[in-house]
Amino acid sequence: MTKSSAVLFILIFSLIFKLEELRAALVLVVLLIAGGLFMFTYKSTQFNAEGFALVLGASFIGGIRWTLTQMLLQKAELGLQNPIDTMFHLQPLMFLGLFPLFAVFEGLHLSTSEKIFRFQDTGLLLRVLGSLFLGGILAFGLGFSEFLLVSRTSSLTLSIAGIFKEVCTLLLAAHLLGDQISLLNWLGFALCLSGISLHIALKALHSRGDSGPKPVKGLGSSPDLELLLRTSQPEEEDNEEEEGRFVAQGQQ
């Protein structure tokens, strides 16, 4: 339930860094999704202040992370529009940040495991290495798709897509594992889907508006008029050349 606040933090930081414009429809989308996800995951549970602080802090940092990622990907001066370039520069830093945690919490267990370093069965080792390799490929594909989506749309769209994934996971858990879903949970599910559908509709309308004709504001501020003037210049030069030929023929 606390994790549902992640989309709120992304919206707040997108407004702070001026990546999104403050619109009533956008605020409504975020409130519908966050409130719906909160209701959809609501259940009686034991409250833990430490866990609440950790999850809330993770949502806060996640909002900063994806907002800054959008700034890196969509800033032409940096030349990181290609997701492969972004991953080439960011993944080593992410590895250096995670490796100390891995060494502290999992290093000893991994070094003494009979499945890798102290293996006795070669077939088991190959299966473990194959699983790790497959996981690496899937992680690479996930990172590539995330960076590609942020570069083409926004970090807010990525967060909403992730929430749709969480909703599907919860529905599968209810169907396959027998988790009970109350009426309040179903109302939250409906609100969440309403917010996601509204966001998709707004994105479609916005992209259609961008592709339409734009009004001419002035000579210096209209790319269409500049293009028209550029194309008309060669035509004027051709007309002058033809007139010169006619004059020369008349004098002869």
Side-chain angles (χ1 to χ4, degrees), residues 75-113:
K75 196 170 185 178
E77 293 83 0
L78 298 177
L80 296 177
Q81 290 88 351
N82 193 323
I84 299 296
D85 292 335
T86 306
M87 296 178 69
F88 177 79
H89 289 86
L90 291 184
Q91 293 292 350
L93 297 176
M94 296 170 65
F95 172 79
L96 293 177
L98 290 176
F99 185 78
L101 298 175
F102 157 75
V104 171
F105 293 103
E106 299 181 2
L108 180 62
H109 174 71
L110 184 64
S111 61
T112 58
S113 174

Side-chain angles (χ1 to χ4, degrees), residues 8 11-31 156 202:
L8 297 175
L11 174 62
I12 291 172
F13 287 113
S14 297
L15 295 175
I16 291 175
F17 293 110
K18 298 181 179 180
L19 298 176
E20 298 282 353
E21 295 180 0
L22 182 59
R23 303 188 304 271
L26 185 62
V27 176
L28 178 61
V29 166
V30 172
L31 291 179
L156 186 61
L202 291 174

Side-chain angles (χ1 to χ4, degrees), residues 54-71:
L54 287 174
V55 176
L56 193 63
S59 299
F60 179 83
I61 295 174
I64 298 177
R65 174 200 176 192
W66 285 114
T67 305
L68 295 179
T69 301
Q70 181 181 348
M71 294 178 65

Side-chain angles (χ1 to χ4, degrees), residues 112-218:
T112 58
S113 174
E114 295 183 356
K115 294 182 179 180
I116 299 182
F117 290 103
R118 298 177 59 190
F119 71 95
Q120 298 178 356
D121 186 1
T122 306
L124 178 61
L125 175 64
L126 294 177
R127 286 195 298 271
V128 171
L129 294 179
S131 300
L132 293 175
F133 183 73
L134 178 61
I137 294 178
L138 294 176
F140 176 83
L142 176 63
F144 177 82
S145 61
E146 288 177 340
F147 288 134
L148 180 63
L149 180 62
V150 172
S151 65
R152 299 295 176 86
T153 57
S154 65
S155 56
L156 186 61
T157 301
L158 175 66
S159 176
I160 292 174
I163 289 174
F164 181 75
K165 179 262 299 180
E166 292 182 4
V167 169
C168 293
T169 302
L170 292 171
L171 287 177
L172 287 175
H175 180 70
L176 299 177
L177 303 179
D179 292 351
Q180 298 295 324
I181 299 181
S182 63
L183 179 60
L184 181 64
N185 299 143
W186 283 117
L187 290 176
F189 173 71
L191 282 178
C192 198
L193 285 186
S194 300
I196 294 174
S197 302
L198 179 59
H199 177 74
I200 294 173
L202 291 174
K203 280 291 182 181
L205 292 175
H206 181 69
S207 60
R208 185 180 301 175
D210 290 342
S211 61
K214 297 180 180 179
V216 178
K217 295 181 180 179

